[in-house]
Amino acid sequence: MEVETRHETRNGKRTRNVYVKVNFLKVTDIDTIKEVFHADVLVKVRWREPSLDNAKDLSVSDFSKYWNPKIVISNSAPNATCKTWRAAKLAKDGEAFITEKFRIKGVFAENLELHDFPFDVQDLSIVVSSELDDDVVDIVEDNEEVSAVNVLCFVDDTEWTVRDLVYSEPRTFNKEIAETQFKNPALLVKCVATRNAGFFLYNIILIMTMISTLSLTTFAVDKALIQNRLQLAFIITLTGVTFKMVSNQSLPKIPYLTHLDRFIIGSMVFNWLVCIWHAILSQYKNDSNQGDMDRIAFFTLIGLLGFFHLVFWLLVLIKRIYQEFKLKDREAVYQEKALRLMGSTWKSDRMNRRRKVTRKNKIDAGGNFV
């Protein structure tokens, strides 16, 4: 397959293509609070080197003589371990490529999008960038090899499910040095993890639903004892505040509301409405219609609570279905590329590997089968 040496002309200069492939060998943990993930990745980049075309001996000892795109992994932590090695290879048509590989183990920063927490789908990105300007080098996805994620070696599978999907997104980073603007090209290579929301459903959302429903039991207290109704309603409201504080411990300090925040705040607003009603009712002690008013308020509040839950869960369901459709489309594109480059056995080989991993044959924190 013929590969372009040059990409396009920018600002009078000719850019060179750098082809990127990333293998997520192991993802061990996704830390929502710190917005990082721990992983072991292999990054392979290659670029054309015309001076070595049709060379009989490609055992290069000094790569400093040749052009280098100065590739860096921008979102890896400073304490991450990185091994690098280079090699020169010839394609079938005699074109020479220099290949540089990075084996990185450590922590990677990731700006998590938590609007849908705890029903969120997160991209885990490896940011492959160049220290050169974007009019010199262009970083693109490798068109001859497939990036991959090893879903069998994902350790934190009780909270997350990693999808068998890798896709890329080009990006340009702007920086200013001595009042001079530079644009550095980058490629974000991403795998996808879906959060398993069971813990938050059972331990926060279900309990909060029971607490907000208990607010309705304050109507069982005689309407003549308004102070007792208010005491019970205040206790239930303060319990909701406690649950809000507990949920905050599962999230970083973000300037927007998540689905969990909306649910808890909505439940607290319902408890607040119950308290306000009891306070209003205290002003109609001598009114002959007090009983009818209280009964109407009781059924109105039940309707409001039911409407709130209906709207909330419909929004969650619609957003999740939309996300699944997007993932299915990306998976179809990814599988089409894999089948085109690796043949029809690619899918069956991956299925056979999955069948070998049973519930009794899980992978421990060290990445070993147990």
Side-chain angles (χ1 to χ4, degrees), residues 208-221 229 232-237 267-275 278 298 301 305:
M208 197 66 210
T209 301
M210 296 170 63
I211 291 173
S212 58
T213 305
L214 283 176
S215 295
L216 295 171
T217 63
T218 58
F219 285 85
V221 179
R229 285 189 175 192
L232 290 174
F234 287 156
I235 292 172
I236 293 172
T237 302
S267 299
M268 291 175 62
V269 167
F270 176 78
N271 295 340
W272 173 79
L273 289 174
V274 173
C275 293
H278 293 323
F298 176 72
L301 288 169
L305 183 61

Side-chain angles (χ1 to χ4, degrees), residues 305-318:
L305 183 61
F307 179 75
F308 165 71
H309 278 265
L310 178 63
V311 172
F312 176 82
W313 290 111
L314 276 177
L315 290 175
V316 169
L317 183 61
I318 291 171

Side-chain angles (χ1 to χ4, degrees), residues 262-294:
R262 296 184 191 100
F263 185 85
I264 294 177
I265 292 174
S267 299
M268 291 175 62
V269 167
F270 176 78
N271 295 340
W272 173 79
L273 289 174
V274 173
C275 293
I276 292 298
W277 169 248
H278 293 323
I280 293 174
L281 190 65
S282 66
Q283 304 303 311
Y284 295 90
K285 288 183 179 180
N286 300 322
D287 195 316
S288 58
N289 296 322
Q290 187 187 47
D292 294 334
M293 294 168 59
D294 198 36

Side-chain angles (χ1 to χ4, degrees), residues 117-118 200 204-205 247 258-265 312:
F117 176 87
F200 301 96
I204 297 181
I205 292 180
S247 71
T258 67
H259 275 332
L260 188 62
D261 291 330
R262 296 184 191 100
F263 185 85
I264 294 177
I265 292 174
F312 176 82

Side-chain angles (χ1 to χ4, degrees), residues 196-251:
N196 302 324
F199 173 83
F200 301 96
L201 280 173
Y202 302 135
N203 293 279
I204 297 181
I205 292 180
L206 178 60
I207 302 300
M208 197 66 210
T209 301
M210 296 170 63
I211 291 173
S212 58
T213 305
L214 283 176
S215 295
L216 295 171
T217 63
T218 58
F219 285 85
V221 179
D222 193 296
K223 56 183 176 294
L225 302 173
I226 297 297
Q227 66 276 17
N228 292 350
R229 285 189 175 192
L230 287 171
Q231 287 175 356
L232 290 174
F234 287 156
I235 292 172
I236 293 172
T237 302
L238 291 175
T239 306
V241 173
T242 303
F243 265 83
K244 182 69 178 71
M245 296 174 64
V246 171
S247 71
N248 287 342
Q249 296 175 5
S250 303
L251 290 169

Side-chain angles (χ1 to χ4, degrees), residues 150-177:
N150 189 356
V151 296
L152 304 181
C153 284
F154 182 65
V155 177
D156 195 14
D157 59 353
T158 56
E159 186 177 355
W160 297 89
T161 299
V162 174
R163 309 293 287 261
D164 193 3
L165 163 68
V166 178
Y167 71 100
S168 62
E169 177 184 321
R171 189 71 60 84
T172 301
F173 296 121
N174 298 322
K175 67 179 180 181
E176 184 175 343
I177 301 177

Side-chain angles (χ1 to χ4, degrees), residues 16-35:
R16 301 183 69 166
N17 283 344
V18 175
Y19 301 94
V20 176
K21 170 192 173 183
V22 175
N23 281 351
F24 293 83
L25 304 177
K26 184 169 63 174
V27 181
T28 56
D29 182 39
I30 303 173
D31 193 326
T32 304
I33 297 177
K34 296 181 180 179
E35 295 192 276

